[in-house]
Amino acid sequence: MSIELYRDLAQWLFDRYEEGQPRQVVEQLLLDQGYSDQQVSELTDLAYRKTNQLRDRLDSFDHYAEQQSIERRKQPFAVCAPLVIDPGRNTIDADHGAARISFRSTRPYVVVLDHFLTDGECDDLIALAENRLTRALVVDRKTGGDFLDDRRTSENLILEVYQDALCRRIEDRIAKITGVPVEHGESLQIMRYGVGAEYQPHQDFFSADINGEAVHFQNGGNRVATLVMYLNDVESGGSTIFPHAGLEVFPQKGSAVYFAYTDEDGRNDELAFHGGSPVIAGEKWIASKWLRENPTPWGQLGLERHGPTAIQASDPSGSTPVESKPVNSKPVNSKPVAKKAATKRVRKKALPKTDKPSDPKQ
Ligand SMILES: O=C(O)CCC(=O)C(=O)O
Ligand SMILES: [Fe+2]
């Protein structure tokens, strides 16, 4: 054949044939598209005289596409922000002692860490936020702004990166344990859920297909991982749920759940769909941190205002000195504060392509 028969062309020819279009009409359409007389004759021959051959070509195209898709699905989902875990140990050393790994799953990539915070740190974070909480907001999928939504009924306070010694200590710890530099973080957020309050299942990453979410890429790219730290024991309810994976993590004072949802090829993991289930009795306090691909305005601002980080993010052993959509803390339309050479440990190849979150995201 004097022309490469690519899939769309083969399908187009076959569809015209199936519609019962006269050969001359199809010939004219092809000529109008700029095909030569010889090409038109070969193509229409295939459709009208060798239709079985055309069918076979389409079948092989379909088979190839199916194989490709199976291969893609088989590829391991390697998260771009895995924790720095020494395979020989059940603990991760940090400034406050050791956090203990009590659960780990690879898809979704979830790690539960006990003793991530000390009791005193939990109490201090609660004290910092008490009386200063306002109703938590979610991202408007159209505009990228924030609004009140019944799907997220907690109250929150958004802190500033490194705003005081407590935050600095915890943010440095997060950087050290996750391997994601402080600059890549959004601000810590303290949240309180009263009885009945919940955060219905959602994805934390932003979708490139949704205008109001894609606008947030300008603040350090997409989110790649989340750390939720539990600040108190909840009497009943208030678990963090991963409904697509059938996982449920129960709050325990000082423990944390880390989940990463972007792989090295920029895919987002739909299994990371998660939420905070309603509190049935008591109250639930958490501190959460969203981590991004690149330095964020919040991270950079914190370092500018409150001094540089001492964490060398490339130190996986953690033994030597280390450096780590609160949309309503605003920088959506602001420029990053300073261009610093961030030490990146977030491994990624491309901006995540996203699935379709149908969810209330903040
Ligand atoms: O409350 C929880 O357990 C989950 C919180 C959450 O989904 C988030 O902060 O992104
Ligand atoms: Fe979330």
Side-chain angles (χ1 to χ4, degrees):
M1 250 191 145
S2 62
I3 183 172
E4 187 196 346
L5 184 69
Y6 54 91
R7 192 189 190 294
D8 286 354
L9 180 56
Q11 187 68 55
W12 183 87
L13 279 169
F14 188 71
D15 290 347
R16 301 293 79 75
Y17 169 79
E18 285 273 282
E19 280 169 15
Q21 295 282 358
R23 180 169 176 162
Q24 299 89 308
V25 172
V26 176
E27 282 173 347
Q28 192 54 53
L29 288 168
L30 289 168
L31 285 169
D32 293 347
Q33 288 293 313
Y35 290 100
S36 70
D37 287 344
Q38 193 195 338
Q39 289 169 336
V40 169
S41 150
E42 285 173 359
L43 290 171
T44 49
D45 245 18
L46 193 59
Y48 288 83
R49 299 189 48 219
K50 304 174 194 159
T51 317
N52 281 343
Q53 275 186 33
L54 181 58
R55 273 203 192 90
D56 288 349
R57 294 294 291 274
L58 279 169
D59 283 351
S60 68
F61 280 129
D62 286 347
H63 179 69
Y64 178 74
E66 172 73 4
Q67 288 303 110
Q68 293 278 90
S69 141
I70 290 169
E71 283 311 308
R72 265 199 306 277
R73 269 176 282 159
K74 272 199 277 187
Q75 276 167 24
F77 190 96
V79 287
C80 70
L83 288 192
V84 184
I85 293 177
D86 174 346
R89 303 192 56 203
N90 297 351
T91 53
I92 305 179
D93 289 334
D95 58 297
H96 69 312
R100 174 166 290 277
I101 302 158
S102 62
F103 173 86
R104 182 151 64 126
S105 112
T106 46
R107 285 243 13 232
Y109 186 88
V110 172
V111 183
V112 179
L113 294 152
D114 294 338
H115 192 55
F116 191 94
L117 298 175
T118 64
D119 277 3
E121 287 166 343
C122 292
D123 298 342
D124 289 348
L125 285 171
I126 292 176
L128 186 65
E130 228 161 17
N131 309 321
R132 295 171 64 199
L133 298 165
T134 54
R135 175 69 189 271
L137 303 171
V138 301
V139 167
D140 184 327
R141 288 156 61 99
K142 284 209 184 82
T143 65
D146 355 308
F147 71 108
L148 270 180
D149 191 312
D150 281 349
R151 292 170 295 176
R152 189 184 194 204
T153 48
S154 56
E155 303 164 288
N156 71 349
L157 173 71
I158 294 169
L159 306 177
E160 208 175 272
V161 170
Y162 272 4
Q163 71 172 41
D164 58 19
L166 174 66
C167 291
R168 173 178 285 270
R169 191 162 74 234
I170 292 168
E171 275 159 339
D172 280 353
R173 190 177 306 154
I174 294 171
K176 179 179 171 182
I177 290 181
T178 64
V180 181
V182 175
E183 293 95 311
H184 293 221
E186 296 186 25
S187 308
L188 270 174
Q189 212 181 119
I190 316 283
M191 257 168 278
R192 178 189 171 275
Y193 298 76
V195 170
E198 63 178 330
Y199 194 170
Q200 288 183 8
H202 58 279
Q203 293 285 18
D204 285 344
F205 56 78
F206 297 108
S207 170
D209 304 329
I210 298 170
N211 290 345
E213 295 195 2
V215 68
H216 294 282
F217 289 145
Q218 66 190 277
N219 295 323
N222 211 341
R223 290 178 180 152
V224 294
T226 302
L227 181 75
V228 173
M229 293 161 277
Y230 302 105
L231 305 182
N232 73 327
D233 292 318
V234 184
E235 220 174 293
S236 182
S239 55
T240 303
I241 46 170
F242 294 82
H244 292 174
L247 291 179
E248 187 167 8
V249 180
F250 291 89
Q252 201 184 315
K253 185 172 181 177
S255 72
V257 58
Y258 176 77
F259 47 101
Y261 31 77
T262 299
D263 80 355
E264 291 180 323
D265 290 324
R267 291 178 299 182
N268 289 130
D269 189 357
E270 79 263 17
L271 292 179
F273 190 64
H274 66 281
S277 72
V279 170
I280 296 166
E283 57 180 1
K284 170 184 172 187
W285 284 87
I286 59 171
S288 74
K289 180 93 172 163
W290 288 307
L291 303 169
R292 300 225 185 181
E293 301 173 282
N294 301 313
T296 65
W298 306 280
Q300 291 177 313
L301 184 64
L303 267 59
E304 287 260 303
R305 284 205 181 140
H306 306 291
T309 177
I311 303 286
Q312 301 308 316
S314 54
D315 169 31
S317 75
S319 52
T320 48
V322 272
E323 63 162 332
S324 142
K325 214 172 103 226
V327 176
N328 47 5
S329 54
K330 289 302 177 237
V332 168
N333 295 314
S334 63
K335 288 209 177 111
V337 175
K339 277 226 178 311
K340 279 202 183 135
T343 339
K344 279 210 208 169
R345 291 208 57 246
V346 178
R347 293 185 277 128
K348 71 161 183 97
K349 284 187 186 148
L351 193 70
K353 288 186 198 67
T354 50
D355 305 313
K356 294 203 172 22
S358 58
D359 45 67
K361 177 181 289 102
Q362 208 230 324

